Amino acid sequence: SQTIHQWPATLVQPVGSPLSLECTVEGTSNPNLYWYRQAAGRGLQLLFYSVGIGQISSEVPQNLSASRPQDRQFILSSKKLLLSDSGFYLCAWSYSAPYEQYFGPGTRLTVT
Amino acid sequence: AQSVTQLDSQVPVFEEAPVELRCNYSSSVSVYLFWYVQYPNQGLQLLLKYLSGSTLVESINGFEAEFNKSQTSFHLRKPSVHISDTAEYFCAVTPGRGNMLTFGGGTRLMVKP
């Protein structure tokens, strides 16, 4: 069966510090991968998605970036965090079809 | 492009009462529909999905949803809720191409004893 991992589970970082969140998927190959952000009391915002190694599409302009160095690894990064980057970050994967996405446990990021 | 509207941001209900969480969508093409559940501080879990076939789909924990194409709706129902059903519920749609899911804003179900 497939599993998806995210770490760290929680993170408190000062404004201006760098960020690296990691997501890995086990039990499948060549998945589509996604990063979402969920701000407090709000819905899901798609940040990035990837259909293959080195292929990243950005949905919103921001100070975040994503990379996919390996088939089942997806990394979310920032060089300098802003207060507005606080939130709950979710990684997800899917096959090409059917079309449902499967989510990881999330990372709670607090920027102070 | 697609859009999803969850008409109620919060739904308070007493334990063992029935509940309906409403979801309406807008799309110029056929879509596939999903309901996800999110417990506090956890990721989203797929609750049920409509891809094709019977318009009534059921989950293993007693929820059901009915796809109504004419009303462009996919409402989620449960005849008798439990305290453990307290969570945020998200409706999502996709046309299938590109695999992008469009999510509604979520409905917080609060089950009271």
Side-chain angles (χ1 to χ4, degrees):
Chain A
S1 64
Q2 301 81 24
T3 56
I4 178 169
H5 304 279
Q6 287 186 246
W7 61 89
T10 60
L11 191 59
V12 180
Q13 293 283 91
V15 168
S17 64
L19 173 72
S20 181
L21 303 182
E22 190 166 342
C23 170
T24 59
V25 181
E26 296 178 355
T28 186
S29 60
N30 196 30
N32 296 327
L33 296 171
Y34 311 83
W35 278 113
Y36 290 87
R37 177 169 58 202
Q38 195 174 24
R42 302 185 67 178
L44 291 157
Q45 179 187 32
L46 178 63
L47 301 175
F48 301 95
Y49 68 94
S50 171
V51 298
I53 295 175
Q55 301 178 63
I56 309 294
S57 296
S58 174
E59 288 294 298
V60 292
Q62 61 220 331
N63 69 321
L64 300 172
S65 62
S67 62
R68 185 170 177 175
Q70 301 180 40
D71 181 44
R72 291 169 290 175
Q73 184 184 32
F74 206 22
I75 296 173
L76 183 69
S77 304
S78 174
K79 292 182 179 178
K80 290 186 178 181
L81 284 168
L82 306 173
L83 285 174
S84 58
D85 291 324
S86 293
F88 194 48
Y89 287 81
L90 291 160
C91 181
W93 73 272
S94 74
Y95 292 119
S96 296
Y99 308 104
E100 62 263 39
Q101 294 178 15
Y102 298 94
F103 287 79
T107 294
R108 175 77 59 191
L109 172 65
T110 304
V111 183
T112 61
Chain B
Q2 295 73 44
S3 66
V4 180
T5 303
Q6 292 185 241
L7 298 164
D8 306 296
S9 59
Q10 296 186 58
V11 174
V13 63
F14 286 105
E15 192 173 18
E16 297 184 3
V19 71
E20 177 180 81
L21 307 183
R22 296 180 292 171
C23 172
N24 286 91
Y25 69 93
S26 174
S27 176
S28 58
V29 299
S30 296
V31 295
Y32 304 96
L33 300 123
F34 308 89
W35 275 100
Y36 285 85
V37 58
Q38 184 181 32
Y39 299 103
N41 294 311
Q42 295 186 25
L44 278 68
Q45 300 174 32
L46 181 64
L47 189 59
L48 46 75
K49 60 186 177 184
Y50 172 75
L51 301 180
S52 64
S54 173
T55 57
L56 184 65
V57 291
E58 299 178 353
S59 72
I60 59 173
N61 58 353
F63 282 95
E64 64 178 29
E66 186 162 19
F67 170 52
N68 189 317
K69 187 174 182 179
S70 63
Q71 297 186 9
T72 61
S73 68
F74 191 52
H75 300 334
L76 182 69
R77 304 183 183 96
K78 189 171 185 179
S80 176
V81 295
H82 190 268
I83 293 287
S84 59
D85 293 324
T86 294
E88 188 97 19
Y89 292 79
F90 292 94
C91 181
V93 303
T94 177
R97 296 185 295 275
N99 309 116
M100 293 302 108
L101 283 179
T102 300
F103 285 89
T107 296
R108 181 160 296 178
L109 176 63
M110 299 174 292
V111 182
K112 300 179 287 186

